[in-house]
Amino acid sequence: MSKKVSLSPAEREELLVRCFSSVLPALTIEEIRTASSDVPGIWDSLATVTLIAVVEEEFGIQIDQERVLELHSFAAWLNYIQEEVTREA
Amino acid sequence: MKLIDALEIIKRPTKLDTRSFDVLQACGFTPLHLQTFLAAHLRLLKPDRCVSVHTGLFGDLIGNIERGKSRHFDAFVVVIEWADLDPRLSARNSGNWRADVLADVEQSIALSVQRIENAIISSNEAPVIVSMPTLPLPPIFTTAPHQACGLENKILQRLAILAFRLGEQPNVRIVNSQSLHETSPFNARFDLKSEIMAGFPYSVSHASILAEELARLAHNPAPKKGLITDLDGTLWSGIVGEDGVDGISWDLEHKTRLHGLYQQTLASLASAGVLLGVASKNSPEVVDRAFDRPDLLVSRTEVYPFEVHWSRKSGSVKRILEKWNVSADSVVFIDDSPMEVAEVSDAFPEMECIVFPAGSYHGIWDLLKYLRSVFGKSSVSADDTLRLESLRKGAEWQQIVSSSSEVSLDEFLKLAKASILFDANKSPEARALELVNKTNQFNLNGRRYNESEWNVFHSGAKAFSVLVSYEDRYGSLGKIAVMLGRVEAHKLHLESWVLSCRAFSRRIEHQCLKFLFERFGCEEIIFDYVQTVKNGPLQEFFLGLMGTPPYLGMSLSREFFATHAPALYHEVKEHSNV
């Protein structure tokens, strides 16, 4: 696994949309961009665990378990990934 | 496969009328990505089926196996890990790892192993795929990690015995740990974070690789049937026409041992029923002398046919396929000349054509392993060892029959002193399933069964199955036909009927129908006929017997058969314990 530092911010966002879409297939692209873990029945703890594994594999990063609770929306995930991928790059 | 790809594969829609393929994944950990990968790999291997992977309760491997027996599954996938053998071996469990309890851990494992064996052996309907523990043992032993501990060895021995005993069961297939070592590095399998946070002990990469192995074993495709090999530069080193019979080699002395390894593998494949043919541009007399060499590791009798001349290899391959009566996609062609390989590949795009990696140690080793992977079978039956000889006899027979008039054919059939054994034992036999699933030409409808469907069919109260064996003065053809159906109110519904092509022209088909009328006391046979691309010989048989091409629901009365069937000369025997 290597960090996807070569991707532009827009490409990272596109890849994250694909990650979300694979884990939360019931959501449309528009719904993904505004998705939140507060919505019961769609984004549950199993989806979060799967999302962590998919994002770690796709972006080549290790997600800090301490910060998982902060990752309650697509926007929060995107911010976290932009921060992680560019950190120490 | 990456997790994102697996998730995308399993969310692809399937056709509404697709048959289901239900798998139980029994494990003690959270199924998570293993379930996802297993479903994805099965979807790829079975694109015509609607795959569902069902799971059970966390922490209850044996209970999950037991509960799975209450409903129908096409395959059971049992994934054992250390925590299933003793909870103290789980990283999530605050168990006692002190030195004085290690013997108790070993004893507890012994009991769990016994319970798992009992649970798996009694789940005898669907095929069972078993993965023995694939993760490293946790560091509970008192020795340094680089020193094997006595108790650790004892535990590993118990697991090895379990794998051996389960592997002896006809419906159980075990994941090969050596093969898994090659594809999934041992030190990259365990994910402690995932185990503690989610109860899933595997790294994503290990889950993907293990799931692929499990899916391949659950899918269990029919092995390829034949291998056509070149001679010069392939079966042996050297050009026999130029170097002479004594100038070719395959030994250490001439540094050509790689060809010897290839020969050994071919002989081994032949002994397991793989057809071996030769396609070589050479003089037949020279090749004949080369096969006289006593040190050749594959013998002349293991090869049929030899296509040795100076014409194109694609023509040789075509004739070999005709003699074997198999399709190109079930055959591998091997030649050291890339040009010959390209020529055959162009003529038979479905055939696997391989350039022999002469001189490459890695290349040869990989080739030998690859041949095992495409020709591998769970067990070797007596019929496997008969196949080549019966093909030879079949070819001789067809030659005689095609040059005989109808009168002399009767004489010939009389002289053959043929004997047919009908076995109406309801215990399903692996050979019968194999025949039904691989026979194309004389096949009533092309219907295929997986092991689970096969077992369900045989459990029907009115169902029957008959396995037919044949031999005559020229030799035994082994088990060559299968009939499946049910009898209701003097009507026999024939649902599957296959006859091996090497048994054609012996009136075995007629004897089969006669047996059904007599054995089951029925007045009428109703055929569940479906036309397929390849069942022309079956259509011709019905046309000859009934004067009309077959159609769905066609029936044959006992009276019509009695007045239209030709004379039959076989001695008929029955083996039955119905």
Side-chain angles (χ1 to χ4, degrees):
Chain A
M1 271 199 320
S2 59
K3 285 188 182 182
K4 296 289 173 67
V5 288
S6 58
L7 296 180
S8 68
E11 286 169 331
R12 280 183 213 129
E13 183 172 346
E14 197 179 325
L15 180 55
L16 185 63
V17 167
R18 190 179 158 213
C19 294
F20 266 71
S21 178
S22 71
V23 177
L24 306 168
L27 300 184
T28 63
I29 305 291
E30 292 69 34
E31 288 169 335
I32 282 171
R33 291 184 196 283
T34 57
S36 151
S37 59
D38 299 335
V39 185
I42 292 185
W43 185 340
D44 57 13
S45 58
L46 181 64
T48 300
V49 170
T50 308
L51 195 54
I52 289 170
V54 170
V55 167
E56 286 187 341
E57 191 174 37
E58 290 305 308
F59 288 91
I61 57 174
Q62 282 292 310
I63 290 168
D64 183 354
Q65 291 298 321
E66 305 271 310
R67 296 188 57 188
V68 169
L69 283 179
E70 299 168 22
L71 305 176
H72 49 71
S73 67
F74 178 83
W77 273 90
L78 187 59
N79 285 337
Y80 178 83
I81 288 164
Q82 303 282 28
E83 191 184 300
E84 276 297 305
V85 170
T86 50
R87 191 162 56 89
E88 297 174 16
Chain B
M1 183 185 289
K2 292 198 296 181
L3 186 54
I4 195 169
D5 297 325
L7 288 161
E8 288 175 349
I9 288 167
I10 60 175
K11 75 177 182 186
R12 285 180 201 157
T14 49
K15 287 183 200 159
L16 284 176
D17 58 347
T18 309
R19 280 167 65 208
S20 65
F21 188 79
D22 291 309
V23 175
L24 174 70
Q25 179 188 316
C27 60
F29 51 81
T30 312
L32 261 182
H33 317 318
L34 188 69
Q35 181 185 10
T36 304
F37 280 120
L38 182 58
H41 282 293
L42 283 169
R43 280 286 294 270
L44 294 180
L45 292 169
K46 292 189 171 296
D48 56 336
R49 303 291 290 268
C50 177
V51 172
S52 300
V53 177
H54 306 259
T55 57
L57 300 177
F58 180 81
D60 189 13
L61 171 69
I62 295 169
N64 290 335
I65 300 170
E66 295 288 353
R67 280 186 292 277
K69 294 174 194 168
S70 62
R71 60 165 290 191
H72 168 77
F73 286 103
D74 294 290
F76 270 65
V77 170
V78 178
V79 186
I80 307 170
E81 275 307 338
W82 297 113
D84 302 312
L85 303 173
D86 187 308
R88 288 169 287 191
L89 300 179
S90 162
R92 293 168 64 87
N93 190 302
S94 309
N96 184 352
W97 283 7
R98 290 184 182 85
D100 59 350
V101 303
L102 295 181
D104 184 60
V105 169
E106 190 276 321
Q107 280 305 304
S108 150
I109 288 174
L111 287 174
S112 298
V113 160
Q114 190 57 57
R115 289 183 64 211
I116 289 171
E117 182 182 342
N118 293 343
I120 290 176
I121 287 178
S122 61
S123 61
N124 58 1
E125 195 176 274
V128 184
I129 318 305
V130 181
S131 167
M132 305 304 289
T134 59
L135 296 176
L137 272 158
I140 64 167
F141 302 105
T142 53
T143 50
H146 55 273
Q147 181 184 350
C149 168
L151 276 173
E152 184 181 3
N153 287 334
K154 204 166 176 185
I155 290 168
L156 294 175
Q157 184 195 30
R158 288 200 187 281
L159 269 294
I161 292 170
L162 174 65
F164 168 74
R165 291 168 67 98
L166 290 176
E168 293 283 286
Q169 302 300 310
N171 66 325
V172 177
R173 297 190 276 273
I174 312 277
V175 172
N176 186 329
S177 61
Q178 290 212 358
S179 169
L180 200 61
H181 282 318
E182 288 190 11
T183 48
S184 181
F186 196 56
N187 62 358
R189 296 178 180 180
F190 183 49
D191 186 334
L192 180 60
K193 183 175 84 171
S194 174
E195 162 76 327
I196 289 176
M197 303 303 295
F200 182 71
Y202 296 151
S203 64
V204 172
S205 60
H206 181 55
S208 173
I209 293 164
L210 178 59
E212 185 175 5
E213 298 290 298
L214 294 166
R216 285 169 64 187
L217 288 172
H219 175 49
N220 197 30
K224 286 188 184 286
K225 296 173 182 169
L227 187 152
I228 302 171
T229 184
D230 173 43
L231 298 178
D232 292 338
T234 303
L235 192 70
W236 51 63
S237 174
I239 300 170
V240 67
E242 292 178 9
D243 303 327
V245 169
D246 295 325
I248 55 174
S249 62
W250 46 88
D251 53 27
L252 290 174
E253 189 185 341
H254 294 88
K255 299 185 171 52
T256 53
R257 173 74 190 120
L258 294 181
H259 296 273
L261 282 170
Y262 178 60
Q263 288 183 19
Q264 281 170 253
T265 303
L266 295 199
S268 168
L269 292 175
S271 71
V274 175
L275 304 170
L276 288 188
V278 159
S280 169
K281 286 184 176 172
N282 254 313
S283 296
E285 309 77 42
V286 176
V287 167
D288 202 39
R289 287 207 305 278
F291 271 81
D292 282 340
R293 271 185 57 167
D295 56 337
L296 199 68
L297 300 168
V298 56
S299 82
R300 183 197 306 275
T301 57
E302 289 166 318
V303 179
Y304 174 79
F306 284 86
E307 280 284 337
V308 182
H309 44 68
W310 299 99
S311 304
R312 287 153 64 105
K313 291 253 171 129
S314 56
S316 298
V317 169
K318 182 170 180 284
R319 283 185 291 277
I320 293 172
L321 293 180
E322 284 167 0
K323 282 181 178 159
W324 285 350
N325 202 15
V326 300
S327 56
D329 62 358
S330 58
V331 171
V332 175
F333 173 78
I334 301 179
D335 196 305
D336 67 318
S337 161
M339 197 181 75
E340 301 287 13
V341 167
E343 198 253 325
V344 171
S345 184
D346 276 353
F348 300 96
E350 328 82 81
M351 186 178 290
E352 187 126 29
C353 297
I354 299 173
V355 177
F356 185 78
S360 165
Y361 291 88
H362 281 300
I364 294 285
W365 199 246
D366 286 345
L367 172 64
L368 303 189
K369 286 196 293 183
Y370 179 72
L371 293 179
R372 286 291 180 199
S373 76
V374 295
F375 290 109
K377 55 180 72 168
S378 294
S379 60
V380 178
S381 68
D383 283 274
D384 287 324
T385 58
L386 275 175
R387 189 164 296 128
L388 195 67
E389 192 52 25
S390 73
L391 264 174
R392 258 200 206 100
K393 299 288 182 199
E396 288 166 11
W397 182 285
Q398 293 298 340
Q399 205 167 7
I400 294 165
V401 167
S402 61
S403 61
S404 302
S405 70
E406 198 56 34
V407 175
S408 65
L409 175 62
D410 273 276
E411 285 303 310
F412 183 72
L413 290 171
K414 264 188 228 174
L415 291 171
K417 296 191 188 314
S419 145
I420 299 183
L421 174 67
F422 291 97
D423 185 352
N425 185 346
K426 269 190 81 174
S427 327
E429 186 178 314
R431 171 63 180 160
L433 175 60
E434 185 190 29
L435 261 177
V436 169
N437 283 345
K438 76 175 189 182
T439 306
N440 293 314
Q441 298 186 84
F442 195 98
N443 188 324
L444 188 61
N445 46 34
R447 185 174 298 153
R448 308 299 195 207
Y449 296 78
N450 64 34
E451 289 151 290
S452 177
E453 292 163 341
W454 182 253
N455 290 327
V456 167
F457 170 83
H458 283 83
S459 64
K462 294 174 180 170
F464 70 83
S465 87
V466 181
L467 180 59
V468 186
S469 307
Y470 175 93
E471 67 177 329
D472 57 30
R473 62 187 292 196
Y474 305 102
S476 169
L477 296 188
K479 299 180 178 81
I480 39 80
V482 178
M483 298 178 282
L484 302 182
R486 61 185 199 284
V487 183
E488 287 172 319
H490 299 295
K491 287 186 181 176
L492 187 149
H493 298 261
L494 196 57
E495 297 180 16
S496 282
W497 185 17
V498 299
L499 172 69
S500 171
C501 56
R502 64 180 198 267
F504 288 176
S505 309
R506 291 166 165 83
R507 298 183 184 165
I508 298 171
E509 310 89 316
H510 304 85
Q511 195 65 262
C512 284
L513 294 175
K514 186 169 180 239
F515 174 81
L516 292 179
F517 279 119
E518 291 175 358
R519 172 68 171 73
F520 296 102
C522 56
E523 292 302 320
E524 187 181 5
I525 298 175
I526 299 166
F527 298 92
D528 192 5
Y529 168 78
V530 176
Q531 182 178 346
T532 71
V533 179
K534 294 180 176 174
N535 68 359
L538 176 115
Q539 295 169 38
E540 282 171 27
F541 164 72
F542 277 114
L543 187 60
L545 177 68
M546 305 180 74
T548 172
Y551 51 88
L552 177 63
M554 181 178 68
S555 71
L556 172 67
S557 70
R558 181 194 280 257
E559 191 185 344
F560 184 93
F561 178 76
T563 53
H564 289 77
L568 302 176
Y569 304 103
H570 320 99
E571 181 193 359
V572 174
K573 300 173 190 168
E574 184 185 349
H575 171 263
S576 173
N577 58 1
V578 179

